[in-house]
């Protein structure tokens, strides 16, 4: 339930915002969070910030032949909100494949079925009549027989089953016979927050997810010979694996080198798992927003580990589990390791937060807490960029808890800049330009709406540009503007403010401003809120006393850096760079002086990470 915004609160908020210089336009429903005290104009959580949480005990069996997922989930739900809850809203994500469910794209008719079957439901130990449930595709509202008061808790038990999709692999499903990636596989309670109340937006396969930070304990039963990888730590390795494989895992967790936990010869011996018809693998994870698992009976498994925290020397294990026929996966464990290392020590320079990161050979390009579902790719460069992009998501959205459903740019934009920066560390000299040219082409078209447009209101090209290259460029330009040290300080302010919580866009903008000690709203406004396109042009090159003056104009309204490559008569070149700060005052032209005694012959404007709408005026021949 939303609390009304009083006139006094509005006036107080206006005073705070005006006092700090240029301000961003804040929608009324988000202004209300300041008035309620759940969020602050500094970017930090407000004194009355709250969020709900739960503990999940999942007991599930999976049959890889029939693809039937069946089990129970026990939930201890905590209502930390100031509201009395009259219902619980559940998410049934597998119902993307339910007959009649709304979908952003078509799926194979063979995968359309009855969806999740709720076989039993109890609230506080009292059985409910499941025939009265009114499931609406991926949403399942459950009316409570007794209101859940603020500060109260409720125990919920659900018994359920469904058939995992075989084709139409949308982030989950059978990969091939004997290999499956099983995600979103249990009924969960949706987020109830201080902005929207219950998250009732239906999952249609396009926009991604929004879940609370919870504790998960999972018991996953699969047939003999099947190995299970999952979110969290394996708690019973000696009960499900033969001793030598347990020893190899322990070895991998202690050394920097790569350990072959399961190799091709091990697969032939079939001595990997315990000799039981069925084995139950137990995992536990805390402070995560989701839990997934993958299983296969013919995958090899490589692992390594590294110290991710220079202070505590805490280590993270990195894995690659894949079909040995897919040779492009042979280096993935190393790419995984290099990504985790770069994240910990270079960008965002924050110790990797979890105990392991497993890249599984699947049929998608999708991230999950501690897990990645990556398809085989054609080139080594593709393997590098796909691995580091998906692993980088560990920070955004999982460590930060952003609402991907509404604000895709708050996670995909970070994974994109992470891909650009880390790919060049894995392969020196590699200039990954993912999304740059599509933005150059699409910018300024009628579908090119502002980044802050809700993701639920976008599709196709608009959704791609606003989720991936456009926000990534915005982050990159601010990094360039502030310099690495100050940008890192600002970004760490955001991370410290919002780890384990649910930041909205203004929490990000304001945290960055606070951390940088600067009002960056002039840039946030133009890049994230306004229409426009990036387009620079060379106007003239004139001889001046100490050298030359190069006149650059911006034909578009998006502020982008100026990168010039100057060629001289002696064949030498010089590169000149100006950050977006040159456009802060609203000017449309900039003079770039080049002190030199050499004769200038040509100037070329542009670089990899500066999209240009029109490149015809980016070269100037000096007469």
């Amino acid at each position: 339930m939303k609390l009304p915004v009083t006139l006094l609160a509005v006036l107080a908020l206006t005073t705070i915002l005006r006092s700090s210089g240029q301000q961003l336009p804040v929608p009324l429903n988000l202004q209300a969070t300041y008035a309620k005290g759940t969020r602050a104009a500094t970017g930090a959580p407000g004194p009355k910030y709250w969020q709900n949480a739960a503990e999940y005990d999942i007991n599930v069996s999976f049959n890889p032949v029939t693809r039937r997922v069946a089990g129970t989930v026990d939930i201890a739900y905590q209502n930390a909100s100031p509201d009395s809850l009259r219902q619980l809203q559940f998410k049934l994500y597998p119902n993307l494949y339910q007959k009649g469910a709304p979908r952003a794209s078509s799926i194979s008719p063979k995968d359309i079925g009855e969806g999740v079957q709720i076989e039993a439901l109890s609230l506080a130990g009292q059985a409910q009549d499941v025939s009265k449930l009114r499931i609406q595709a991926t949403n399942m509202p459950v009316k409570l027989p007794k209101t859940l008061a603020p500060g109260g808790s409720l125990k919920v038990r659900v018994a359920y089953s469904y058939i995992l999709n075989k084709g139409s692999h949308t982030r989950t499903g059978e990969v091939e016979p004997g290999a499956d990636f099983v995600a979103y596989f249990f009924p969960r309670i949706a987020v109830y927050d201080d902005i929207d109340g219950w998250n009732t937006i239906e999952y249609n396969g396009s926009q991604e997810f929004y879940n609370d930070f919870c504790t998960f304990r999972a018991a996953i039963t699969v047939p003999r010979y099947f190995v299970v990888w999952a979110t969290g730590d394996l708690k019973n390795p000696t009960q499900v694996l033969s001793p030598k494989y347990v020893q190899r895992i322990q070895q991998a967790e202690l050394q920097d080198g790569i350990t072959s936990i399961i190799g091709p010869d091990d697969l032939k011996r079939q001595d990997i798992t315990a000799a039981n018809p069925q084995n139950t693998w137990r995992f536990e994870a805390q402070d995560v927003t989701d839990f997934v698992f993958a299983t296969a009976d013919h995958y090899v498994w490589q692992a390594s580990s590294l110290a991710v925290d220079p202070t505590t020397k805490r280590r993270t294990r990195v894995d690659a589990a894949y079909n040995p026929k897919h040779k492009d996966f042979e280096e993935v464990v190393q790419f995984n390791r290099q990504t985790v290392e770069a994240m910990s020590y270079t960008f965002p320079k924050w110790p990797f937060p979890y105990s392991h990161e497993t890249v599984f050979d699947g049929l998608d390009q999708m991230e999950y807490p501690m897990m990645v579902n990556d398809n085989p790719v054609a080139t080594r460069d593709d393997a590098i960029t796909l691995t580091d992009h998906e692993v980088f998501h560990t920070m955004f959205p999982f460590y930060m808890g952003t609402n991907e459903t509404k604000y895709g740019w708050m996670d995909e934009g970070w994974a994109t800049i992470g891909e650009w920066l880390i790919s060049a560390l894995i392969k020196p000299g590699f200039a990954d330009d993912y999304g740059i040219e599509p933005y150059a082409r699409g910018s300024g078209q009628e579908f090119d709406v502002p980044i802050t447009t809700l993701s639920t209101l976008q599709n196709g090209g608009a959704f791609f540009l606003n989720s991936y290259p456009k926000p990534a460029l915005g982050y990159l330009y601010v990094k360039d503007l502030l310099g690495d040290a100050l940008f890192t300080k600002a970004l760490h302010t955001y991370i410290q403010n919002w780890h384990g919580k649910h930041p909205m866009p203004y929490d990000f903008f304001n945290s960055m401003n606070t951390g940088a000690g600067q009002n960056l709203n002039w840039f946030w406004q133009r890049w994230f809120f306004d229409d426009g396109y990036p387009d620079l042009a060379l106007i003239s090159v004139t001889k001046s006393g100490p050298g030359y003056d190069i006149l650059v104009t911006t034909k578009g309204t998006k502020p982008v850096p100026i990168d010039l490559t100057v060629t001289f008569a002696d064949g030498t070149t010089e590169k000149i760079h100006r950050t977006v700060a040159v456009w802060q005052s609203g000017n449309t032209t900039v003079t770039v002086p080049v002190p030199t005694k050499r004769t200038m012959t040509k100037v070329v404007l542009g670089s990899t990470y500066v999209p240009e709408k029109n490149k015809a005026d980016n070269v100037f021949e000096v007469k």
Side-chain angles (χ1 to χ4, degrees):
M1 182 173 66
K2 298 281 186 183
L3 297 178
V5 183
T6 66
L7 177 60
L8 179 61
V10 170
L11 291 175
L13 172 62
T14 302
T15 300
I16 292 171
L17 295 181
R18 284 178 178 169
S19 67
S20 57
Q22 180 178 343
Q23 295 307 318
L24 301 173
V26 184
L28 291 177
N29 64 312
L30 301 186
Q31 287 186 30
T33 66
Y34 298 115
K36 291 184 292 188
T38 55
R39 297 165 196 263
T42 61
K48 295 183 179 180
Y49 179 80
W50 56 265
Q51 66 188 53
N52 294 350
E55 293 189 14
Y56 286 79
D57 283 278
I58 303 167
N59 195 319
V60 65
S61 62
F62 175 62
N63 185 327
V65 176
T66 64
R67 307 188 314 284
R68 186 172 187 264
V69 179
T72 59
V73 55
D74 288 277
I75 309 171
Y77 185 69
Q78 299 288 331
N79 178 21
S81 82
D83 304 329
S84 295
L85 303 181
R86 300 176 182 274
Q87 69 169 18
L88 296 180
Q89 182 74 40
F90 284 79
K91 291 294 183 182
L92 303 177
Y93 290 128
N95 276 0
L96 176 69
Y97 295 93
Q98 185 185 50
K99 188 184 305 180
R103 285 179 285 272
S105 57
S106 61
I107 62 174
S108 169
K110 295 179 180 179
D111 276 327
I112 298 176
E114 298 303 314
V116 178
Q117 302 299 299
I118 303 298
E119 293 154 6
L121 170 67
S122 66
L123 303 172
Q126 300 298 310
Q128 307 297 302
D129 185 353
V130 297
S131 69
K132 294 183 178 180
L133 293 174
R134 296 295 177 260
I135 298 174
Q136 302 152 5
T138 58
N139 286 334
M140 184 177 79
V142 174
K143 186 177 180 180
L144 298 179
K146 180 181 177 182
T147 299
L148 182 58
S153 61
L154 180 66
K155 291 189 176 180
V156 181
R157 182 179 177 86
V158 185
Y160 70 100
S161 65
Y162 74 97
I163 303 300
L164 183 72
N165 51 297
K166 183 174 183 179
S168 310
H169 193 111
T170 303
R171 305 185 175 111
T172 182
E174 182 180 89
V175 177
E176 60 193 26
D180 301 85
F181 199 100
V182 188
Y184 326 117
F185 66 93
F186 56 94
R188 73 198 64 203
I189 298 177
V191 174
Y192 184 84
D193 68 19
D194 63 319
I195 297 175
D196 298 318
W198 287 112
N199 171 26
T200 58
I201 300 171
E202 291 184 346
Y203 171 56
N204 65 8
S206 177
Q207 291 83 23
E208 295 181 9
F209 305 94
Y210 184 36
N211 296 308
D212 275 320
F213 285 85
C214 300
T215 293
F216 295 92
R217 291 176 288 269
I220 302 162
T221 301
V222 294
R224 182 184 178 184
Y225 305 123
F226 279 82
V227 176
V228 177
W229 297 265
T231 302
D233 299 321
L234 178 62
K235 308 303 288 187
N236 65 333
T238 59
Q239 296 176 16
V240 293
L241 289 166
S242 300
K244 66 179 178 181
Y245 300 100
V246 176
Q247 184 178 11
R248 291 176 186 176
I249 295 174
Q250 294 170 343
Q251 176 185 349
E253 291 175 342
L254 295 174
Q255 67 177 28
D256 294 345
I258 296 174
T259 300
S260 177
I261 296 176
I262 299 174
D265 292 339
D266 300 314
L267 293 172
K268 294 175 184 177
R269 281 193 296 271
Q270 294 191 323
D271 65 345
I272 300 166
T273 63
N276 304 310
Q278 302 278 320
N279 288 310
T280 299
W281 300 63
R282 300 183 182 277
F283 295 87
E284 184 171 334
Q286 298 178 347
D287 195 27
V288 294
T289 58
D290 201 358
F291 184 96
V292 302
F293 73 92
T295 186
D297 64 357
H298 59 283
Y299 274 25
V300 297
W301 179 4
Q302 294 175 315
S304 178
S305 68
L306 67 154
V308 295
D309 190 328
T311 302
T312 65
K313 307 302 180 185
R314 177 176 58 83
R315 299 181 74 86
T316 289
R317 193 189 76 233
V318 293
D319 305 317
Y322 60 96
N323 187 327
K325 293 180 180 179
H326 296 156
K327 302 301 181 183
D328 58 299
F329 265 85
E330 291 179 350
E331 287 187 273
V332 164
V333 68
Q334 187 61 38
F335 301 154
N336 189 0
R337 190 181 196 282
Q338 291 171 292
T339 301
V340 170
E341 182 177 34
M343 291 174 64
S344 301
Y345 295 99
T346 306
F347 182 77
K349 205 172 184 179
W350 190 274
F352 194 83
Y354 302 119
S355 59
H356 79 86
E357 181 70 19
T358 301
V359 180
F360 188 83
D361 178 2
L363 289 176
D364 213 304
Q365 301 183 356
M366 186 62 192
E367 70 282 352
Y368 318 78
M370 306 185 212
M371 295 284 288
V372 169
N373 175 6
D374 276 353
N375 58 274
V377 291
T379 69
R380 185 174 187 267
D381 287 354
D382 289 342
I384 291 172
T385 58
L386 178 55
T387 301
D388 58 31
H389 181 106
E390 304 305 342
V391 172
F392 198 88
H393 273 300
T394 297
M395 290 299 295
F396 312 92
F398 302 127
Y399 196 65
M400 300 300 290
T402 55
N403 186 343
E404 304 169 83
T405 305
K406 290 173 64 175
Y407 315 120
W409 60 271
M410 292 185 74
D411 77 298
E412 293 296 352
W414 285 111
T416 301
I417 184 178
E419 172 188 330
W420 292 342
L421 297 177
I422 293 175
S423 294
L425 298 176
I426 295 175
K427 182 182 176 182
F430 178 31
D432 173 36
D433 60 355
Y434 176 67
I436 302 292
E437 189 55 35
Y439 176 44
R441 292 194 307 268
S443 63
Q445 306 300 315
E446 62 182 352
F447 69 84
D448 181 26
V449 295
I451 294 172
T452 51
T453 305
L454 292 180
S455 297
T456 51
L457 303 179
Q458 304 176 57
N459 54 39
F463 179 75
F464 172 76
L465 296 183
N466 282 329
S467 296
Y468 295 82
K470 287 171 65 177
L473 288 167
Y475 304 147
L476 187 68
Y477 298 160
V478 171
K479 182 175 183 290
D480 181 42
L481 171 67
L482 297 177
D484 287 349
L486 187 55
F487 179 82
T488 299
K489 179 177 180 290
L491 181 55
H492 285 190
T493 299
Y494 172 50
I495 294 172
Q496 288 161 350
N497 281 346
W498 290 98
H499 157 58
K501 302 179 179 68
H502 295 311
M504 68 175 181
Y506 299 88
D507 299 323
F508 163 69
F509 297 130
N510 294 332
S511 289
M512 293 292 290
N513 289 354
T514 298
Q518 299 181 25
N519 188 333
L520 299 168
N521 289 346
W522 71 270
F523 180 79
W524 305 134
Q525 176 73 51
R526 295 188 214 173
W527 195 264
F528 286 83
F529 290 83
D530 292 350
D531 290 316
Y533 58 92
D535 189 17
L536 301 181
L538 291 168
I539 298 298
S540 64
V541 179
T542 57
K543 194 76 176 67
S544 65
Y548 294 84
D549 285 337
I550 302 174
L551 188 62
V552 180
T553 189
T554 176
K555 293 183 173 180
T557 56
K558 292 295 186 186
V560 295
I562 296 174
D563 285 301
L564 300 169
T565 301
V566 177
T567 301
F568 298 96
D570 60 5
T572 60
T573 61
E574 179 180 339
K575 291 188 179 296
I576 301 170
H577 176 74
R578 296 290 186 273
T579 75
V580 292
V582 297
W583 308 112
Q584 182 172 352
S585 66
N587 52 304
T588 59
T589 60
V590 170
T591 298
V592 181
V594 185
T596 183
K597 294 181 179 180
R598 293 171 291 175
T599 301
M600 188 182 295
T601 58
K602 185 169 73 171
V603 180
V604 177
L605 174 67
S607 64
T608 300
Y609 298 108
V610 179
E612 281 286 314
K613 188 64 183 175
N614 175 24
K615 297 179 181 179
D617 47 19
N618 285 18
V619 178
F620 194 96
E621 301 287 346
V622 183
K623 303 300 183 181

